[in-house]
Amino acid sequence: MVGSTSSRIAQLGPRHPAQVIVVGFAGAILIGTALLMVPTSKVGAGSATFLEALFTATSAVCVTGLIVVDTPVYWTGSAHVIILALIQVGGFGIMSFASLLGVLLARRMGLRSRISAAAESKSVGFGDVRGVLLGVLRITLVVEAATAALLAARFLLGYGYDLGDALWLGIFHSVSSFNNAGFALFSDNLIGFAGDPWICLPICAAVIIGGLGFPVLFELRRHFRYPRKWHMNTKLVLSGTLILLVLGTVFITAVEWSNPATLGAMRPQERLLAGFFQSTMTRTAGFNSVDFAQLNPVTLLAMDVLMFIGAGPAGTAGGLKITTFGVLFFILYTEISGGNAVNIFGKRLPRSVHRQAISIVLLAVGLVIGATMFLMLITDFGLDRVLFEVVSAFATVGLSTGITAGIPPAGQVVLILVMFAGRLGPVTLATALALRSKPLYYEYPKERPLIG
């Protein structure tokens, strides 16, 4: 009797690993919402509304950073601790789940495929679940502690904060940066520190490291001096990150150089620092050191592209992921150059990966376009600002031109759904597509339509 009851309960729960992730993150968001609705979480009388608490909790768990209320002014110190905990749970959770899904996928492979994959990756043992979790935790704590120490020292020595406040500011912004969340305890975010490299550069470093993804960090720790041993994923992420950071820095700095409302009022070295900082933040961390409402529209469009691409997989960043974009780039290059197979860094790409990348991109584009059109129907904001807001939500970036709080409740609900889908969608969809892959023992006759 007991066995049959437990069997029925198991059947009611999620079976697919992607379902487990969705249910887990939804549960964390609901718990965070309930905690933020407690009267002690809000400054002043009363409590936060359900939508305010839900939006903030979703943004924190999905490590986005979009806000509908001023974080340092509206929420109390206890609420700041709750937000920080939600950010940590969201960041650590997605890294752990994404890495463990790789282990699960490996177990679903045949023995020969598992041996081949193990020989190629040399990063995570397919049965070493405990090692994966401990590795994620170790990297998280080391990077966050180092960043917190640097920031706390700067707040203490450079800005006159007492030791307790300096430590809290250092810890909060360290966790927020490594997890690519973008929540700040200053009403103007980090605009007040735009020219301070001792604040901006540690945050940039934490954002970049968190955005590389655990598989890359793990492999770099083992084979840092032997690039030839790096897996294709590591090479794609590192090369893509470097290229996009440089291109983003050059473009943003050049376009905004003479804009008096953004970089134009700064000294030359501060403009370079701010340009690099904002290029880094498009890797899906929502800190800003300039007023985004004053950016040139073409800068916003360039940032849309950078945010949409995102950073590395199995990390704290969002977006399509550099690897997905890299696969599409090499597919295009192969087609233009007349090749028969897509080869990346001396390795051939399976055709199943082609289909997965194209599927994820098309679904993401559809989601962004649909949400953008809906927000344009219910608001008076222009296309550039609405599109920027939606892409920022989907890519879990958190950068904003300041229109989030002015969007009607229905639009904020849409942004909540977009944040949730953007945080979990690429991971769960990629997993689902991989797990649904089945061998086909027959083929239909070939025929091709006219293209172009």
Side-chain angles (χ1 to χ4, degrees):
M1 184 67 179
V2 175
S4 61
T5 302
S6 60
S7 177
R8 286 195 298 269
I9 294 175
Q11 291 177 357
L12 294 175
R15 298 180 179 181
H16 196 284
Q19 295 175 331
V20 175
I21 296 180
V22 172
V23 172
F25 272 76
I29 290 172
L30 292 178
I31 293 173
T33 301
L35 293 174
L36 291 176
M37 290 183 68
V38 174
T40 55
S41 294
K42 177 182 174 294
V43 174
S47 59
T49 66
F50 174 74
L51 185 57
E52 289 171 344
L54 177 63
F55 194 100
T56 304
T58 304
S59 184
V61 173
C62 296
V63 292
T64 304
L66 287 177
I67 55 174
V68 291
V69 294
D70 190 353
T71 302
V73 174
Y74 189 85
W75 302 111
T76 62
S78 61
H80 293 160
V81 174
I82 293 170
I83 292 172
L84 186 68
L86 294 176
I87 292 172
Q88 191 69 280
V89 168
F92 181 78
I94 200 66
M95 290 182 75
S96 302
F97 276 126
S99 301
L100 291 177
L101 283 175
V103 175
L104 176 63
L105 288 175
R107 287 178 173 175
R108 292 288 295 270
M109 298 177 183
L111 178 60
R112 181 175 299 177
S113 299
R114 290 174 63 182
I115 294 175
S116 300
E120 289 183 3
S121 63
K122 303 183 182 68
S123 56
V124 179
F126 291 120
D128 190 14
V129 174
R130 181 174 177 272
V132 170
L133 292 176
L134 290 178
V136 173
L137 179 62
R138 190 179 300 112
I139 291 173
T140 299
L141 293 179
V142 168
V143 175
E144 289 181 353
T147 307
L150 291 173
L151 293 177
R154 183 57 177 168
F155 285 125
L156 176 67
L157 302 176
Y159 294 93
Y161 287 94
D162 59 47
L163 181 59
D165 290 340
L167 285 174
W168 172 240
L169 289 173
I171 292 171
F172 187 94
H173 292 92
S174 170
V175 173
S176 184
S177 58
F178 176 72
N179 290 285
N180 281 220
F183 278 90
L185 293 181
F186 304 98
S187 294
D188 63 352
N189 207 276
L190 296 180
I191 291 179
F193 307 99
D196 189 346
W198 297 102
I199 296 293
C200 293
L201 292 181
I203 288 178
C204 285
V207 168
I208 293 171
I209 293 172
L212 291 178
F214 170 73
V216 173
L217 297 176
F218 193 88
E219 190 162 65
L220 287 178
R221 188 179 66 179
R222 297 183 60 186
H223 303 297
F224 181 77
R225 297 183 179 181
Y226 306 99
R228 292 184 179 180
K229 295 184 177 181
W230 292 352
H231 186 242
M232 179 194 297
N233 179 77
T234 299
K235 295 178 180 179
L236 277 174
V237 171
L238 292 178
S239 59
T241 297
L242 179 61
I243 291 171
L244 293 176
L245 278 175
V246 171
L247 291 179
T249 300
V250 171
F251 186 88
I252 294 170
T253 305
V255 174
E256 298 296 327
W257 186 268
S258 302
N259 184 349
T262 55
L263 304 185
M266 302 179 184
R267 293 177 295 179
Q269 64 269 26
E270 293 177 344
R271 299 182 197 182
L272 293 174
L273 176 63
F276 172 72
F277 185 84
Q278 293 309 157
S279 176
T280 303
M281 294 310 115
T282 60
R283 315 311 305 137
T284 82
F287 294 109
N288 64 285
S289 61
V290 296
D291 185 358
F292 271 56
Q294 306 299 323
L295 288 175
N296 191 303
V298 71
T299 304
L300 293 178
L301 182 58
M303 288 184 168
D304 288 338
V305 176
L306 294 173
M307 292 190 299
F308 193 68
I309 294 173
T316 58
L320 286 178
K321 311 300 183 188
I322 289 178
T323 47
T324 305
F325 180 77
V327 166
L328 294 180
F329 171 81
F330 280 102
I331 290 175
L332 177 63
Y333 174 79
T334 301
E335 192 65 28
I336 293 176
S337 61
N340 295 322
V342 179
N343 300 313
I344 304 177
F345 300 120
K347 298 291 181 66
R348 183 169 57 87
L349 200 67
R351 291 190 178 275
S352 59
V353 178
H354 304 191
R355 298 192 298 269
Q356 291 173 21
I358 294 172
S359 300
I360 291 173
V361 170
L362 291 179
L363 289 173
V365 169
L367 176 64
V368 169
I369 291 177
T372 301
M373 293 174 66
F374 179 80
L375 291 183
M376 291 186 68
L377 287 174
I378 65 172
T379 68
D380 295 326
F381 299 115
L383 172 61
D384 54 345
R385 302 182 75 178
V386 173
L387 178 62
F388 187 88
E389 201 80 7
V390 173
V391 173
S392 181
F394 168 77
T396 68
V397 180
L399 294 173
S400 174
T401 58
I403 68 173
T404 314
I407 295 175
Q412 292 180 3
V413 171
V414 168
L415 288 179
I416 289 173
L417 296 175
V418 171
M419 284 190 288
F420 191 79
R423 173 74 279 184
L424 299 179
V427 174
T428 54
L429 179 59
T431 304
L433 291 174
L435 289 177
R436 286 175 61 88
S437 179
K438 298 179 180 178
L440 189 64
Y441 299 105
Y442 63 91
E443 290 184 356
Y444 291 105
K446 287 185 178 181
E447 186 175 350
R448 58 179 299 164
L450 296 177
I451 301 297

Coordinates of all heavy atoms in Angstrom, one line a residue, residues 97-135:
F97 N 22.5 23.2 -12.0 CA 21.6 22.4 -12.8 C 22.1 22.2 -14.2 O 22.0 21.1 -14.8 CB 20.2 23.2 -12.9 CG 19.3 22.8 -11.7 CD1 18.8 23.9 -10.9 CD2 19.0 21.5 -11.4 CE1 18.0 23.6 -9.9 CE2 18.2 21.2 -10.3 CZ 17.7 22.3 -9.5
A98 N 22.6 23.3 -14.8 CA 23.2 23.2 -16.2 C 24.3 22.2 -16.3 O 24.4 21.4 -17.2 CB 23.6 24.5 -16.7
S99 N 25.2 22.2 -15.3 CA 26.3 21.3 -15.2 C 25.8 19.8 -15.0 O 26.3 18.9 -15.7 CB 27.3 21.7 -14.2 OG 27.8 23.0 -14.4
L100 N 24.9 19.7 -14.1 CA 24.4 18.3 -13.8 C 23.6 17.8 -15.0 O 23.5 16.6 -15.2 CB 23.5 18.4 -12.5 CG 24.3 18.6 -11.2 CD1 23.3 18.7 -10.1 CD2 25.3 17.5 -11.0
L101 N 22.9 18.7 -15.7 CA 22.2 18.2 -16.9 C 23.2 17.6 -17.9 O 22.9 16.7 -18.6 CB 21.4 19.3 -17.5 CG 20.1 19.7 -16.8 CD1 19.5 21.0 -17.5 CD2 19.2 18.6 -16.8
G102 N 24.4 18.2 -18.0 CA 25.4 17.6 -18.8 C 25.8 16.2 -18.4 O 26.0 15.3 -19.2
V103 N 25.8 16.0 -17.1 CA 26.1 14.6 -16.6 C 25.0 13.7 -16.9 O 25.2 12.6 -17.4 CB 26.3 14.7 -15.0 CG1 26.4 13.3 -14.5 CG2 27.5 15.5 -14.6
L104 N 23.7 14.2 -16.8 CA 22.6 13.4 -17.1 C 22.5 13.0 -18.6 O 22.3 11.9 -19.0 CB 21.3 14.1 -16.8 CG 20.0 13.5 -17.1 CD1 19.8 12.1 -16.4 CD2 18.8 14.4 -16.9
L105 N 22.8 14.0 -19.4 CA 22.8 13.7 -20.9 C 23.9 12.7 -21.2 O 23.7 11.8 -22.1 CB 23.1 15.0 -21.7 CG 22.0 16.0 -21.7 CD1 22.4 17.3 -22.4 CD2 20.8 15.4 -22.4
A106 N 25.0 12.7 -20.5 CA 26.1 11.8 -20.8 C 25.6 10.4 -20.4 O 25.9 9.4 -21.1 CB 27.3 12.2 -20.0
R107 N 24.9 10.3 -19.3 CA 24.4 9.0 -18.9 C 23.4 8.4 -19.9 O 23.2 7.2 -19.9 CB 23.8 9.1 -17.5 CG 24.9 9.3 -16.4 CD 24.2 9.4 -15.1 NE 25.2 9.4 -14.0 CZ 24.9 9.7 -12.7 NH1 23.7 9.9 -12.4 NH2 25.9 9.6 -11.8
R108 N 22.7 9.3 -20.6 CA 21.7 8.8 -21.5 C 22.3 8.3 -22.9 O 21.7 7.8 -23.7 CB 20.7 9.9 -21.8 CG 19.8 10.2 -20.6 CD 18.8 9.1 -20.4 NE 17.8 9.0 -21.5 CZ 16.7 9.7 -21.5 NH1 16.4 10.5 -20.6 NH2 15.9 9.5 -22.5
M109 N 23.6 8.6 -23.0 CA 24.3 8.2 -24.2 C 24.7 6.8 -24.2 O 24.7 6.1 -23.1 CB 25.6 9.1 -24.4 CG 25.4 10.5 -24.6 SD 27.0 11.4 -24.7 CE 26.5 13.1 -24.8
G110 N 25.0 6.2 -25.3 CA 25.6 4.9 -25.4 C 27.0 4.9 -24.9 O 27.6 5.9 -24.7
L111 N 27.5 3.7 -24.6 CA 28.8 3.6 -24.0 C 29.9 4.2 -24.9 O 30.8 5.0 -24.5 CB 29.2 2.2 -23.7 CG 30.6 1.9 -23.1 CD1 30.7 2.6 -21.8 CD2 30.8 0.4 -22.9
R112 N 29.8 3.9 -26.2 CA 30.8 4.4 -27.1 C 30.8 6.0 -27.2 O 31.8 6.6 -27.2 CB 30.6 3.8 -28.5 CG 31.6 4.3 -29.5 CD 31.4 3.6 -30.8 NE 31.6 2.2 -30.7 CZ 31.5 1.3 -31.7 NH1 31.1 1.7 -32.9 NH2 31.7 0.0 -31.5
S113 N 29.6 6.5 -27.2 CA 29.4 8.0 -27.2 C 29.9 8.6 -26.0 O 30.6 9.7 -26.0 CB 28.0 8.4 -27.5 OG 27.5 7.9 -28.7
R114 N 29.7 8.0 -24.8 CA 30.2 8.5 -23.6 C 31.7 8.5 -23.5 O 32.3 9.5 -23.1 CB 29.6 7.7 -22.4 CG 28.2 7.8 -22.2 CD 27.6 6.9 -21.1 NE 28.3 7.1 -19.8 CZ 28.0 6.4 -18.8 NH1 27.2 5.4 -18.8 NH2 28.6 6.7 -17.6
I115 N 32.3 7.5 -24.0 CA 33.8 7.4 -24.0 C 34.4 8.5 -24.9 O 35.3 9.2 -24.6 CB 34.3 6.0 -24.5 CG1 33.9 5.0 -23.4 CG2 35.8 6.0 -24.7 CD1 34.2 3.5 -23.8
S116 N 33.7 8.7 -26.1 CA 34.2 9.7 -27.0 C 34.1 11.1 -26.4 O 35.0 11.9 -26.5 CB 33.4 9.6 -28.4 OG 33.6 8.3 -28.9
A117 N 32.9 11.3 -25.8 CA 32.7 12.7 -25.2 C 33.6 12.9 -24.1 O 34.1 14.0 -23.9 CB 31.2 12.8 -24.8
A118 N 33.9 11.9 -23.3 CA 34.8 12.1 -22.2 C 36.2 12.4 -22.7 O 36.9 13.2 -22.1 CB 34.8 10.8 -21.3
A119 N 36.6 11.7 -23.7 CA 37.9 12.0 -24.3 C 38.0 13.4 -24.8 O 39.1 14.0 -24.8 CB 38.2 11.0 -25.4
E120 N 36.9 13.9 -25.3 CA 37.0 15.3 -25.9 C 36.9 16.4 -24.8 O 37.6 17.3 -24.9 CB 35.8 15.5 -26.9 CG 35.9 14.7 -28.2 CD 34.8 14.9 -29.1 OE1 33.9 15.8 -28.8 OE2 34.7 14.3 -30.2
S121 N 36.0 16.2 -23.8 CA 35.8 17.3 -22.9 C 36.9 17.4 -21.8 O 37.3 18.5 -21.5 CB 34.4 17.1 -22.2 OG 34.4 15.9 -21.5
K122 N 37.3 16.3 -21.3 CA 38.3 16.2 -20.2 C 38.0 17.2 -19.1 O 38.9 17.7 -18.4 CB 39.7 16.6 -20.8 CG 40.1 15.7 -21.9 CD 41.5 16.1 -22.4 CE 42.0 15.2 -23.5 NZ 41.2 15.5 -24.8
S123 N 36.7 17.5 -18.8 CA 36.4 18.5 -17.8 C 35.6 18.0 -16.7 O 36.0 18.1 -15.5 CB 35.6 19.7 -18.5 OG 34.5 19.2 -19.1
V124 N 34.5 17.3 -16.9 CA 33.6 16.9 -15.9 C 33.4 15.4 -16.0 O 32.9 14.9 -17.1 CB 32.3 17.6 -15.9 CG1 31.4 17.1 -14.8 CG2 32.5 19.1 -15.7
G125 N 33.7 14.6 -15.0 CA 33.4 13.2 -15.0 C 31.9 13.0 -15.1 O 31.1 13.6 -14.5
F126 N 31.5 12.0 -15.9 CA 30.0 11.8 -16.2 C 29.3 11.3 -15.0 O 28.1 11.4 -14.9 CB 29.8 10.9 -17.4 CG 30.3 11.6 -18.7 CD1 31.3 11.0 -19.5 CD2 29.7 12.7 -19.1 CE1 31.7 11.6 -20.6 CE2 30.1 13.3 -20.3 CZ 31.1 12.8 -21.1
G127 N 30.0 10.7 -14.1 CA 29.2 10.2 -12.9 C 29.6 11.1 -11.7 O 29.1 10.8 -10.6
D128 N 30.4 12.1 -11.8 CA 30.9 12.8 -10.7 C 30.0 14.0 -10.3 O 30.3 15.2 -10.4 CB 32.3 13.3 -11.0 CG 33.0 13.9 -9.8 OD1 32.5 13.7 -8.6 OD2 34.0 14.6 -9.9
V129 N 28.8 13.7 -9.8 CA 27.8 14.7 -9.5 C 28.3 15.5 -8.3 O 28.2 16.7 -8.3 CB 26.4 14.0 -9.2 CG1 25.4 15.1 -8.7 CG2 25.9 13.3 -10.4
R130 N 28.8 14.8 -7.3 CA 29.3 15.5 -6.1 C 30.5 16.5 -6.5 O 30.5 17.6 -6.0 CB 29.8 14.5 -5.1 CG 30.3 15.1 -3.8 CD 30.7 14.0 -2.8 NE 31.2 14.6 -1.6 CZ 32.5 14.8 -1.4 NH1 33.4 14.5 -2.4 NH2 33.0 15.3 -0.3
G131 N 31.3 16.0 -7.4 CA 32.4 16.9 -7.8 C 32.0 18.1 -8.6 O 32.5 19.2 -8.4
V132 N 30.9 18.0 -9.4 CA 30.3 19.1 -10.1 C 29.8 20.2 -9.1 O 30.2 21.3 -9.2 CB 29.2 18.7 -11.0 CG1 28.4 19.9 -11.6 CG2 29.7 17.8 -12.2
L133 N 29.0 19.7 -8.1 CA 28.5 20.7 -7.1 C 29.6 21.3 -6.3 O 29.5 22.5 -6.1 CB 27.5 19.9 -6.2 CG 26.2 19.4 -6.9 CD1 25.4 18.6 -5.9 CD2 25.4 20.6 -7.5
L134 N 30.5 20.6 -5.9 CA 31.6 21.1 -5.1 C 32.5 22.1 -5.9 O 32.9 23.1 -5.4 CB 32.5 20.0 -4.5 CG 31.8 19.2 -3.4 CD1 32.8 18.1 -2.9 CD2 31.4 20.0 -2.2
G135 N 32.7 21.8 -7.1 CA 33.4 22.6 -8.0 C 32.7 24.0 -8.2 O 33.4 25.0 -8.2

